[in-house]
Amino acid sequence: MSDNKTYSLLGLCQKAGKLVSGEFAVENAIKSGSACVVLVSKDASDNTKKKFRDKCEFYGVPIYSFGDKEALGHAIGKEVRTSIAITDNGFAKTLQKNLQLEEQDGGNANVEN
């Protein structure tokens, strides 16, 4: 899988209204149980990565480290984004499959937990 497929899927999720982005919105989605999978940019601060890793572990939400802030924001048509949550099971499963294939191929994705 190429990064482009993952970024395209993120754009599709945004258009479908099945994605939330930004620190507070993602945190609320995790707490409310609506987040199916969370992405945190690889260039996020260690503090941010730890915060989301701990929260996702506590609430049982899969988390991946993928891309950089600028690319994630560009993929969803917004400014830089450090964190993104997918709120639809179908999109989340497809995204996870893409990310796991990228990780196996030595790509741009890492499973956090």
Side-chain angles (χ1 to χ4, degrees):
M1 275 308 132
S2 69
D3 289 350
N4 282 342
K5 285 191 176 186
T6 302
Y7 288 124
S8 295
L9 183 63
L10 291 175
L12 192 60
C13 291
Q14 175 68 26
K15 286 179 183 169
K18 303 297 182 182
L19 178 148
V20 294
S21 63
E23 191 172 335
F24 298 113
V26 172
E27 195 174 340
N28 288 338
I30 294 168
K31 287 179 182 176
S32 71
S34 63
C36 298
V37 66
V38 172
L39 296 179
V40 177
S41 69
K42 286 189 172 192
D43 59 349
S45 71
D46 290 339
N47 210 18
T48 300
K49 288 178 185 177
K50 181 183 180 337
K51 172 184 173 180
F52 281 109
R53 193 174 334 120
D54 292 348
K55 205 157 285 298
C56 285
E57 188 177 318
F58 181 79
Y59 287 96
V61 178
I63 182 170
Y64 293 85
S65 180
F66 176 77
D68 60 60
K69 297 175 196 177
E70 198 161 310
L72 287 177
H74 182 73
I76 62 170
K78 298 191 181 266
E79 295 293 317
V80 292
R81 288 293 188 258
T82 305
S83 55
I84 291 176
I86 306 299
T87 58
D88 178 78
N89 270 328
F91 280 127
K93 286 179 183 176
T94 303
L95 182 71
Q96 285 180 284
K97 188 168 61 172
N98 287 355
L99 292 171
Q100 287 167 353
L101 287 173
E102 280 184 32
E103 184 180 35
Q104 289 171 359
D105 294 341
N108 197 13
N110 291 356
V111 179
E112 289 289 321
N113 56 336

